[in-house]
Each structure stands twice: as C-alpha cells, then as structure tokens.
Amino acid sequence: MQVKSATFIISNSDVSKCPNEPLPEYAFIGRSNVGKSSLINMLTDRKHLAKISGKPGKTQLINHFKINENWFLVDLPGYGYAKVSKKTKNTFQKFITKYFEERQQLVSAFVLIDIRHEPQKIDMEFMEWLGEHQIPFSIIFTKADKLKPKAIERDVQKYLDTLTAGVWAEAPNHFITSSANGTGKDELLEYIDTINQEFYKQK
C-alpha cells in the first residue's frame, strides 16, 4: 500500500465525538517515549503529521488521521509516564479504556514496544487486558536501528518467549520497525491493506 493522502481529522477525549464514518480503524498505543509519533510519520511519509516531542507524554488526546480516504490511523496517548500526575493518568486511562470498549470501527490495535527493553509489567498487563476483551492486536517493536541484527533476533525471541510462558498460548503477531531507516514500513502497511481488503469485501 502506498500512502497517498494523510489528513488530520480531530483530537478529543470523548469517544462519542470520534468520527462516525464506517471506515476501518487502527489504533497505535504504547508507553511514553516509545517512538510512536516518529513511527506514524514514517508510515505516512509525512514529517510532521504526528507531533514529535523530546518530552514524553506529549500525546494526551485521541488523534484521528484519515489515510487514503479509506481508513483511520488513531494515535492514542502513551501510558506509564511517571511525571504525569495521578489525576491525569486516571483521565487517560478512562478514555483509553472507553475507546477500546466502545469503538465499533476499531479492527486492530498496535502495541508499540521499544526493542531495547526487557518486558515491562505495564505492557504485559495492557496486552493481557486486550486479550481478555477480545481486541485484536499486533506488537510493533520500535527503534530496531539501535541494535545489531543478531541482537534484534535474540531480544525479540526472548520477549515472545516471555509472553508464551505466561498467559499466551501463542505469541501475538509482531513487526520489527525503525523510523530512522524505514525498517518494517512496507510489511506493516501491507498487513493493514490486507485487513482493509477483507473489511470492504464484507461490506
């Protein structure tokens, strides 16, 4: 899939105000500073579609971007940033939870994981919550340019083994990406395109 158009539509914290067009929707979420904005800009070939900040926790709303006029990319707030107040965290948590529970257009979530880090409790719990609520998701390992190929293979396998040693019978679908050099872009867009084709066939 080639991204020909990417348009910002709306930011808000009220799920009922999200776009009501019957288009397939893909939500990107992860811990703060995982490289989400950079990944979104890389996927869409736009330098400033999602705002990049050196300060973690910049995204604090549900941001909808319409791609190629036929699907939505949704940028959700990062979770687990210690310097955000408890009240703000609770607010985030409420509308993120509401989004996943109520958003009918959502066809898949993408949980972003920094490839350099050991499995974190907050990520594991969030993926478990998605599984319990039967919300389809894939893992996107980010910042692959920071590691050598053998280290990538070793660390990703170790991460997936941790998941299957826990609550997962089999590891979730996953992608390895780098916003710096474009790794994983084609595979990720092709995956979304395949789901979109199935979505529109059933219409």
Side-chain angles (χ1 to χ4, degrees):
M1 181 208 306
Q2 185 182 355
V3 174
K4 294 174 181 174
S5 65
T7 311
F8 169 74
I9 302 298
I10 192 172
S11 288
N12 74 92
S13 59
D14 184 347
V15 179
S16 67
K17 291 178 182 172
C18 289
N20 61 8
E21 296 172 73
L23 302 180
E25 196 161 286
Y26 300 84
F28 288 70
I29 190 168
R31 283 189 303 131
S32 298
N33 222 21
V34 76
K36 182 162 50 72
S37 297
S38 297
L39 178 79
I40 289 169
N41 291 337
M42 182 265 280
L43 285 176
T44 58
D45 278 327
R46 305 296 190 277
K47 286 185 179 178
H48 306 293
L49 189 70
K51 289 177 183 174
I52 298 171
S53 172
K55 182 182 176 184
K58 179 77 174 171
T59 307
Q60 297 185 8
L61 297 166
I62 304 168
N63 298 305
H64 273 76
F65 302 96
K66 189 185 282 188
I67 312 298
N68 291 348
E69 296 296 318
N70 70 352
W71 61 280
F72 281 112
L73 185 158
V74 184
D75 182 8
L76 291 173
Y79 52 79
Y81 181 47
K83 290 187 183 177
V84 172
S85 71
K86 195 170 181 182
K87 184 182 176 186
T88 306
K89 267 189 191 173
N90 289 340
T91 303
F92 284 2
Q93 213 57 51
K94 274 181 189 168
F95 73 72
I96 289 171
T97 301
K98 200 170 181 188
Y99 171 84
F100 281 113
E101 288 178 341
E102 297 183 8
R103 193 66 178 152
Q104 297 295 316
Q105 290 92 330
L106 178 70
V107 294
S108 183
F110 291 107
V111 180
L112 277 62
I113 304 289
D114 187 325
I115 201 165
R116 302 168 296 176
H117 296 168
E118 296 280 320
Q120 303 287 311
K121 187 181 177 188
I122 193 167
D123 294 319
M124 308 289 271
E125 287 177 348
F126 181 66
M127 287 187 273
E128 191 174 332
W129 184 88
L130 289 175
E132 286 170 354
H133 288 77
Q134 298 186 315
I135 296 163
F137 75 93
S138 296
I139 296 171
I140 296 179
F141 291 102
T142 62
K143 306 187 182 183
D145 57 289
K146 306 290 186 186
L147 296 177
K148 303 280 188 200
K150 282 190 177 176
I152 290 171
E153 193 177 329
R154 180 195 66 222
D155 290 358
V156 167
Q157 191 55 55
K158 192 175 170 185
Y159 199 103
L160 299 177
D161 288 345
T162 302
L163 289 175
T164 53
V167 299
W168 300 96
E170 58 182 76
N173 186 39
H174 73 277
F175 298 89
I176 295 167
T177 69
S178 164
S179 301
N181 59 28
T183 298
K185 176 182 176 180
D186 292 342
E187 292 84 354
L188 193 45
L189 288 176
E190 192 175 311
Y191 176 73
I192 291 172
D193 192 40
T194 301
I195 297 176
N196 285 347
Q197 287 178 35
E198 286 300 313
F199 179 89
Y200 285 113
K201 266 185 201 170
Q202 292 168 15
K203 285 291 176 185

